[in-house]
Amino acid sequence: MKKLLLATALLALTGGVAAAQTVRLGTEGAYPPFNFIDDSGNVAGFERELGDELCKRAGLTCEWVTTDWDSIIPNLQSGNYDVIIAGMSITDERAQVVDFSMNYVPPAASAYAAGSADADITGGVVSAQVGTIQAAHVAESGATLLEFPTPDETVAAVRNGEAVAVFADKDYLVPYVNESNGALMFVGEDVPLGGGVGMAFRQSDDELRGKFDAAIQSMKDDGTLNPLIKKHFGPDAKVF
Amino acid sequence: MFSSCADPKSLEGFSWLICYLTSGKHIDFYWSFLTVLILLVVTAPTALAFGFGGAVAARSHFLPLRWFGKIYTAMVRGVPDIVFFLFFVIALDQGIEWMKHQIVCPDWTEPVRQGLEFRVCPQAKVPLGTSPQIWHQLYGFALAVFTFAIVFGAFAANVLYGAMNAVPRAQLETAESYGMSHGQVFRRILVPQMWTYALPGLSNLWMILIKATPLLFLLGVKDIVYWARELGSAKTQAYAYPHPDWRLWYFLFLLVAYLCMTRVSEIVLKKLAARLNHGQATAAGEAMRRAAQ
Amino acid sequence: MTCWETVQAYAFRSLGYGEKMLPRSDFDLCQQFTLIGSGLIWNVYFGVIALAFGFFLATALALAKASHSRWLRKPAEWFIFVFRGSPLFIQFFIAYSALVMLPRGGIDILGIHLNTSWMTSAWAGAAFVLFLNTSAYAAEIFYGALMSVPKGDLEAADAYGLSGWSRFRRIQWPTMLRLAWPAYTNEAIFLFHATTLVFFSGFPAFQQRGDALYYANYFADKTFNPFVPYPIVAFYFILLTFALIGLFGLVNKRLNRHLPSNTRSRIRLRPQLIR
């Protein structure tokens, strides 16, 4: 028995050397254009391209894993994957339990998209995804919060009249508003929330975080990050 | 899949629909039906085995074992299965890794629990961090099967316990008078005879199991509900096949699929019941005897 | 905040009374117990509404299924088949997707204005689905019991000149209830368990008012620790189950009061017809 265990341990050790380190990237896969499942069933979007490039620069082999937004942090902590790269805004609340990399998308505005220009976003029913900073903001704003588990349902709620407006990352809402033929529009002021979007790591994983931080920095320095942002979020997106 | 589908945005009407329904994502959706069927096929015997163990434990003469059996069978009656699923899988996963950690890395000094983090040595991860994605998926699936089996095993234990008690005393006494030992009575008479009494309950349980499979997606397995939600939700131009919110249609499709599954099961189970009731000293067996005369 | 203040602030939070904001930091056990308990009000509400209305529909469906008329029997059989044959999870989802398609402004039928917007809220829509669902399950139980009413009882009723409604009300119905009650108790327990699905599939939580599982999920999300809130939900449901067994046991006693004690059907918790 002991021999067998030793053999597996050895195998694991040598395997680790030969195949470099495999890092598992956890994402939601339901938040276009940040991350989504494309029509051939693979993870795609801004973060897919970014993540693959970062892994290349850091010399890591990466694998993509999708999970529910609800359980994305507990699953990181129990080690089901090593990194969260899922359009997650950097907030103090989250920073208490995970460590963030430097942001790879600048602090961006959140916005209200509504079905009509006179929508009452301060007193009416506003939809948001459960467990997001936007949901917390709506709960405080005096509007009535209507929560859904996936981002796409929050937009659907405005279309079918359940909510007067949806409050989400502006980058996420822009394609929906543009393609709605006037059925959806932005109302009210944009609200700056969070400290940009970053990758999240277990607090004990400083080494891995360092590698990704260096890779992000190198992309910022050589000017490859900004075009990538523009490619996915449109020419008006905020860049570094 | 087809070469004509290379540029979906230029397609229209029927050819668009054909390409849409055969996109890689839809193929994954169709395969996920197999996932559900495999889960059913694997879970049912596992749960039955757990249930059998639970029922035997609940009948045991050894007090702690009897208590264990009784608590296990009472557990699922009190707690909604969804609550179980929400935390049991994480607990199970961590439990397995903790045990492996104890064996593989005995001289690991850092605490396993650091605040909220659960950290075992890299060699103790199940599956190893270096293993390919397919192992992670299989492991996740195995955890799901185990969780389902625990919950439904408790239901099955309820049914089997009742069935064991329902076997007529006279049959057991006859066996004893032939000089069979306790174990022999159990193996030769009680177990073969109990199935006819257990079948109505077990059939019902099978139906419940089918209807519980949508909860798979809570356990992180990409089942038919996951894909139906993913495929049905509104798609922007970022996707190859943009469309509005079609979730209702996908879920209606799932509804029909589930109704087919339960209907087929009903027919099969009815036939099985007829076989088991043949020649039994029960009302159903008597009815069959009369009908045959 | 002391625990008592927490209770005052959050005991009825699920109904919209008390503190508007949910706790955001410094989570303690007291908060979790209070809020999850507050959410339990919704579970009880859904269960009670569905059972209370479902009882009558189930009786009607059982009678329809036992009827000789095709026109009554077939629809009842289909209704029972559809609701018993498909997952509640998917029923919720379809119901919500269908309800939001109703015109927002309301419908005008024959000059009567029907307001439709309230139907998509969980308190109405989800309760309605649960009502239909439990009716189908209970109808199957009642139908089985109706078929097991002893032949002698019916012949005795004939001999007394009872027929139609009075035969049903005085002979068939009480016996049917007595025979069905143990299985019906189980159905009730599992219906209460099923109420936890409401905010998990389809129906959105309004102003952060949700059921026990909704708040447990909230805490699990905020504290990143699922091992405290979910067992609390489990604890509450065990209490609820005991209360139900006690309550249904009292009714069972009354239904069986005319029988000699050795032939009474006790609520045996080893059912043939569980959900």
Side-chain angles (χ1 to χ4, degrees):
Chain A
M1 188 67 196
K2 203 160 188 178
K3 219 174 188 172
L4 193 77
L5 286 171
L6 202 70
T8 38
L10 218 71
L11 200 73
L13 218 68
T14 48
V17 174
Q21 192 186 355
T22 310
V23 174
R24 294 163 57 77
L25 307 177
T27 192
E28 188 194 7
Y31 203 53
F34 283 94
N35 56 73
F36 57 93
I37 314 277
D38 69 8
D39 290 276
S40 44
N42 299 318
V43 177
F46 167 68
E47 280 165 338
R48 172 72 203 243
E49 265 189 63
L50 176 79
D52 285 347
E53 176 65 24
L54 291 177
C55 289
K56 207 167 88 192
R57 290 185 184 219
L60 303 166
T61 322
C62 292
E63 254 175 4
W64 290 85
V65 187
T66 53
T67 183
D68 256 5
W69 178 255
D70 263 0
S71 57
I72 204 161
I73 292 182
N75 272 322
L76 174 77
Q77 283 167 333
S78 61
N80 290 340
Y81 35 79
D82 309 302
V83 184
I84 297 175
I85 169 163
M88 185 178 266
S89 298
I90 300 170
T91 64
D92 293 341
E93 211 177 22
R94 289 179 185 141
Q96 286 172 7
V97 286
V98 291
D99 275 352
F100 282 102
S101 69
M102 70 172 74
N103 55 14
Y104 54 82
V105 176
S110 298
Y112 291 94
S116 66
D118 56 350
D120 180 10
I121 53 170
T122 47
V125 179
V126 177
S127 63
Q129 189 184 7
V130 74
T132 56
I133 47 173
Q134 284 87 8
H137 178 82
V138 174
E140 279 169 33
S141 71
T144 301
L145 172 63
L146 193 65
E147 287 170 300
F148 292 90
T150 61
D152 135 86
E153 284 168 294
T154 62
V155 181
V158 181
R159 289 185 200 269
N160 62 37
E162 278 277 89
V164 298
V166 45
F167 188 55
D169 276 327
K170 192 163 188 180
D171 289 330
Y172 169 73
L173 290 173
V174 165
Y176 284 97
V177 172
N178 289 346
E179 291 171 27
S180 69
N181 296 324
L184 293 177
M185 63 202 72
F186 285 113
V187 292
E189 301 277 308
D190 290 354
V191 188
L193 283 179
V197 172
M199 302 165 113
F201 301 83
R202 281 182 293 271
Q203 286 175 330
S204 47
D205 254 359
D206 280 340
E207 191 195 331
L208 190 63
R209 188 162 61 91
K211 283 185 188 167
F212 275 105
D213 262 342
I216 296 172
Q217 191 58 51
S218 84
M219 281 188 80
K220 282 181 179 172
D221 290 343
D222 65 10
T224 46
L225 184 57
N226 285 345
L228 197 62
I229 294 177
K230 285 209 164 127
K231 176 184 162 196
H232 286 275
F233 299 111
D236 304 330
K238 246 172 126 181
V239 291
F240 288 100
Chain B
M1 194 172 190
F2 303 112
S3 55
S4 59
C5 300
D7 184 19
K9 292 205 176 153
S10 64
L11 297 172
E12 258 174 54
F14 189 64
S15 50
W16 183 88
L17 194 65
I18 292 287
C19 287
Y20 175 67
L21 290 177
T22 53
S23 69
K25 226 171 172 177
H26 274 86
I27 303 294
D28 285 346
F29 176 49
Y30 307 140
W31 277 112
S32 65
F33 277 90
L34 196 67
T35 312
V36 171
L37 291 180
I38 293 175
L39 175 98
L40 285 172
V41 170
V42 178
T43 307
T46 321
L48 203 57
F50 282 15
F52 190 77
V56 171
R59 280 170 62 92
S60 160
H61 296 293
F62 181 54
L63 194 65
L65 196 61
R66 189 159 74 237
W67 276 0
F68 170 78
K70 297 247 178 200
I71 290 173
Y72 175 55
T73 52
M75 175 184 74
V76 282
R77 305 190 49 75
V79 181
D81 45 6
I82 182 175
V83 176
F84 254 111
F85 289 154
L86 281 172
F87 75 94
F88 188 75
V89 170
I90 301 184
L92 189 66
D93 181 27
Q94 296 190 350
I96 290 172
E97 291 191 348
W98 184 81
M99 278 197 287
K100 189 174 172 199
H101 174 85
Q102 298 297 321
I103 300 167
V104 183
C105 324
D107 31 75
W108 185 264
T109 48
E110 286 177 54
V112 172
R113 281 224 159 270
Q114 298 176 16
L116 292 165
E117 278 178 34
F118 180 81
R119 205 154 165 77
V120 292
C121 63
Q123 293 85 6
K125 293 247 70 121
V126 182
L128 293 171
T130 50
S131 44
Q133 179 65 14
I134 182 77
W135 285 110
H136 287 272
Q137 280 171 353
L138 280 178
Y139 177 66
F141 187 75
L143 282 185
V145 166
F146 192 72
T147 314
F148 264 82
I150 293 233
V151 171
F152 284 90
F155 283 118
N158 269 317
V159 173
L160 293 181
Y161 182 82
M164 285 178 186
N165 285 349
V167 174
R169 217 21 243 153
Q171 297 183 2
L172 305 181
E173 276 165 7
T174 311
E176 277 160 12
S177 68
Y178 272 95
M180 288 191 201
S181 72
H182 229 63
Q184 280 174 326
V185 174
F186 181 76
R187 280 195 310 276
R188 295 188 189 168
I189 310 294
L190 187 66
V191 173
Q193 278 298 90
M194 76 177 180
W195 295 111
T196 180
Y197 301 95
L199 192 70
L202 290 181
S203 316
N204 190 38
L205 202 55
W206 169 255
M207 299 295 196
I208 305 170
L209 183 62
I210 294 180
K211 285 176 276 170
T213 49
L215 296 180
L216 257 185
F217 101 109
L218 283 183
L219 303 183
V221 176
K222 287 182 181 164
D223 72 330
I224 47 181
V225 175
Y226 169 87
W227 284 114
R229 270 161 71 122
E230 173 59 40
L231 286 165
S233 61
K235 297 284 182 291
T236 61
Q237 295 292 338
Y239 295 85
Y241 300 92
H243 63 74
D245 193 344
W246 284 352
R247 278 176 302 174
L248 182 56
W249 307 117
Y250 280 92
F251 274 85
L252 280 174
F253 175 66
L254 287 193
L255 183 78
V256 173
Y258 271 107
L259 287 177
C260 291
M261 278 201 258
T262 42
R263 186 74 201 136
V264 169
S265 306
E266 248 175 39
I267 294 168
V268 171
L269 289 167
K270 217 177 217 166
K271 293 217 163 124
L272 192 64
R275 258 185 103 121
L276 277 181
N277 284 329
H278 190 81
Q280 282 289 349
T282 59
E286 176 68 10
M288 282 176 77
R289 192 178 65 82
R290 290 217 175 138
Q293 266 175 359
Chain C
M1 221 184 335
T2 67
C3 191
W4 175 236
E5 282 166 355
T6 308
V7 171
Q8 283 178 321
Y10 290 118
F12 295 102
R13 177 60 181 78
S14 65
L15 305 178
Y17 298 107
E19 197 73 23
K20 187 171 178 301
M21 300 304 301
L22 294 181
R24 302 287 300 283
S25 54
D26 310 320
F27 306 97
D28 56 37
L29 268 179
C30 180
Q31 284 172 342
Q32 305 203 13
F33 265 104
T34 312
L35 262 174
I36 293 173
S38 165
L40 200 68
I41 297 172
W42 278 108
N43 296 104
V44 172
Y45 161 81
F46 286 128
V48 168
I49 290 284
L51 277 181
F53 290 100
F55 180 78
F56 296 101
L57 182 59
T59 312
L61 280 169
L63 282 177
K65 191 174 173 180
S67 153
H68 294 294
S69 157
R70 244 184 109 73
W71 295 101
L72 280 174
R73 199 175 65 236
K74 283 288 158 194
E77 278 177 2
W78 270 98
F79 179 89
I80 294 174
F81 171 61
V82 168
F83 277 93
R84 288 186 76 228
S86 61
L88 178 62
F89 194 84
I90 288 176
Q91 291 166 18
F92 271 135
F93 198 90
I94 291 178
Y96 181 73
S97 313
L99 285 172
V100 292
M101 285 185 173
L102 294 173
R104 280 288 114 179
I107 315 170
D108 285 299
I109 305 172
L110 305 170
I112 306 165
H113 186 74
L114 287 175
N115 202 353
T116 55
S117 56
W118 52 274
M119 283 157 97
T120 52
S121 13
W123 68 264
F128 188 66
V129 176
L130 282 167
F131 153 66
L132 295 180
N133 186 278
T134 187
S135 298
Y137 279 93
E140 188 64 27
I141 294 171
F142 287 170
Y143 171 76
L146 205 57
M147 294 289 103
S148 325
V149 172
K151 208 166 135 196
D153 288 18
L154 299 178
E155 282 167 355
D158 287 342
Y160 274 97
L162 291 173
S163 64
W165 171 247
S166 63
R167 184 174 81 150
F168 172 72
R169 202 187 66 78
R170 298 171 69 169
I171 310 291
Q172 282 179 303
W173 193 64
T175 312
M176 176 193 91
L177 271 192
R178 181 169 62 82
L179 294 177
W181 204 256
Y184 190 58
T185 307
N186 278 294
E187 163 55 23
I189 293 171
F190 285 100
L191 174 73
F192 272 87
H193 288 186
T195 58
T196 50
L197 277 175
V198 169
F199 292 101
F200 248 86
S201 55
F203 288 89
F206 189 70
Q207 276 186 332
Q208 300 185 313
R209 302 176 198 167
D211 75 332
L213 196 60
Y214 170 84
Y215 288 116
N217 194 35
Y218 176 84
F219 282 114
D221 180 48
K222 292 288 170 197
T223 59
F224 307 102
N225 181 3
F227 298 117
V228 175
Y230 293 127
I232 293 178
V233 179
F235 166 76
Y236 273 123
F237 266 92
I238 289 171
L239 289 189
L240 192 63
T241 307
F242 278 133
L244 272 175
I245 291 176
L247 213 63
F248 275 72
L250 285 180
V251 177
N252 192 46
K253 220 174 195 172
R254 188 174 159 77
L255 286 172
N256 283 289
R257 70 191 185 284
H258 61 288
L259 293 175
S261 61
N262 57 349
T263 56
R264 286 182 186 175
S265 64
R266 286 189 30 237
I267 295 194
R268 290 243 321 276
L269 298 176
R270 281 176 285 291
Q272 300 280 293
L273 264 180
I274 39 179
R275 186 186 260 277

